[in-house]
Amino acid sequence: MAGASLLVLLDDIASVLDDVAAMTKIAARKTAGVLGDDLAVNAEKVTGVRAEREIPVVWAVAKGSFRNKLILVPAALILSFIAPWIITPVLVLGGLFLCYEGFEKIVHSLFHKDKTKAKTLDAEKRLELATTRVADLAKFEQERVSGAIRTDFILSLEIIVITLGIVAAQTLVTQFLVLAGIAILMTAGVYGLVAGIVKLDDAGLYLSRREGQTGWARFLRWFGERLVAFAPDLMKGLTIIGTVAMFMVGGGILVHAFHQIDEQIAVLAGHVAGLSAIGPTVAVVIPTLMSTIVGVIAGALVLSLIAVLQRMRSDK
């Protein structure tokens, strides 16, 4: 009898773990857009720190990110228990914020290049001044770490809320395990990649200075030079990918929240699938493409609304 009870218990545990694994996989896919943006933002935050201090700074931000999630995960569980109805509105707000942030980045890159350049020059001047004294340098690093942790809190909130929306119908144990798993995986993944990205140019510089005239030494120097040249392009690529992913994820949240839009997209995909030749193939990407378009439109509307409110406030 005891053996049978133990087998039933083990079967229940295995079933819960299967559910957790499946839900974690879905949540990881849904939060990929926020992950890409988180990666690009944090890699950018570390830029300007001395080479020997890059890893300690990344580690300090990673610890701050873990603290953020230690606050957010229990808060999300309490919210889902006390007021589960609020999850959908919070998800919609999170989706709108993602779309707004993505569209604001596009507008800023297109119409504020001179201001961005001026800010970059100011940052370089601040760094030059900071390096004159150890106290100033420590203050500069602390400002970078504090800013990165604040940004991480917002992005972590989006990740936790999106994940909570996915597991809202599950048991409390499953919700906790999935949220904790996503929090750990995302934090370790993001800051592990950030550490690798910020040291990529250093690795390239080290290889480019290798001595010797053998074929292998020449190849290492060539490869190191390519790494140094590739590092800035990688940062730009991450920014672009992160922005597109924000529209995809934010738009997807809005589409699923408003069932009428979701149904119309499904109808459109069905019509496209009925076309000859490439119809079925194109129909597969229709939901993602339409979600991205919805995200761009929503971001433009939110940005326009904020601009109007700011102008009305300044007029008053």
Side-chain angles (χ1 to χ4, degrees), residues 27 30-31 34 79 83-99 156-169 179 246 249-258:
K30 293 289 186 181
T31 56
V34 186
L79 183 65
W85 56 268
I86 206 171
I87 294 176
T88 298
V90 171
L91 273 173
V92 171
L93 289 175
L96 288 173
F97 178 79
L98 280 174
C99 299
S156 296
L157 176 61
E158 294 171 2
I159 291 172
I160 295 300
V161 170
I162 292 172
T163 304
L164 185 61
I166 295 170
V167 300
L179 287 171
M246 290 170 76
V249 175
I253 292 173
L254 297 177
V255 166
H256 291 302
F258 298 96

Side-chain angles (χ1 to χ4, degrees), residues 31 34-35 37-38 41-42 45 64-65 67-69 72 90 93-98 100-101 146-162 191 246:
T31 56
V34 186
L35 176 64
D37 187 57
D38 200 359
V41 167
N42 282 287
K45 288 287 186 181
S65 178
R67 286 195 296 270
N68 287 339
K69 292 176 178 66
L72 290 171
V90 171
L93 289 175
L96 288 173
F97 178 79
L98 280 174
Y100 157 75
E101 193 175 34
S146 299
I149 292 175
R150 286 194 298 270
T151 302
D152 177 89
F153 186 88
I154 297 172
L155 296 173
S156 296
L157 176 61
E158 294 171 2
I159 291 172
I160 295 300
V161 170
I162 292 172
Y191 292 99
M246 290 170 76

Side-chain angles (χ1 to χ4, degrees), residues 9 30 42-43 81 116 124 136 145 167 171 180 196 207 218-219 257 271 275 278 311:
L9 176 61
K30 293 289 186 181
N42 282 287
F81 181 75
T116 302
E124 292 174 353
D136 290 340
V145 170
V167 300
T171 63
L207 292 175
R218 288 197 297 270
F219 169 76
H271 288 313
L275 300 176
I278 63 172
R311 178 163 294 184

Side-chain angles (χ1 to χ4, degrees), residues 110-225:
L110 291 176
F111 301 106
H112 300 280
K113 291 183 179 179
D114 294 337
K115 292 182 179 180
T116 302
K117 184 177 180 181
K119 289 181 180 179
T120 302
L121 292 175
D122 291 341
E124 292 174 353
K125 290 179 181 178
R126 288 198 302 270
L127 178 59
E128 182 179 353
L129 292 172
T131 55
T132 58
R133 291 185 302 172
V134 175
D136 290 340
L137 181 59
K139 183 179 179 181
F140 174 78
E141 289 184 2
Q142 186 58 44
E143 289 175 352
R144 284 293 177 121
V145 170
S146 299
I149 292 175
R150 286 194 298 270
T151 302
D152 177 89
F153 186 88
I154 297 172
L155 296 173
S156 296
L157 176 61
E158 294 171 2
I159 291 172
I160 295 300
V161 170
I162 292 172
T163 304
L164 185 61
I166 295 170
V167 300
Q170 304 298 314
T171 63
L172 184 61
V173 173
T174 302
Q175 289 182 15
F176 172 75
L177 291 176
V178 172
L179 287 171
I182 283 293
I184 294 171
L185 287 174
M186 290 298 183
T187 305
V190 166
Y191 292 99
L193 288 172
V194 168
I197 290 171
V198 299
K199 301 306 291 184
L200 190 63
D201 54 350
D202 291 336
L205 185 62
Y206 170 78
L207 292 175
S208 67
R209 292 176 176 175
R210 291 292 296 268
E211 298 179 353
Q213 297 302 320
T214 63
W216 179 246
R218 288 197 297 270
F219 169 76
L220 289 179
R221 286 195 294 271
W222 173 85
F223 184 67
E225 292 170 356

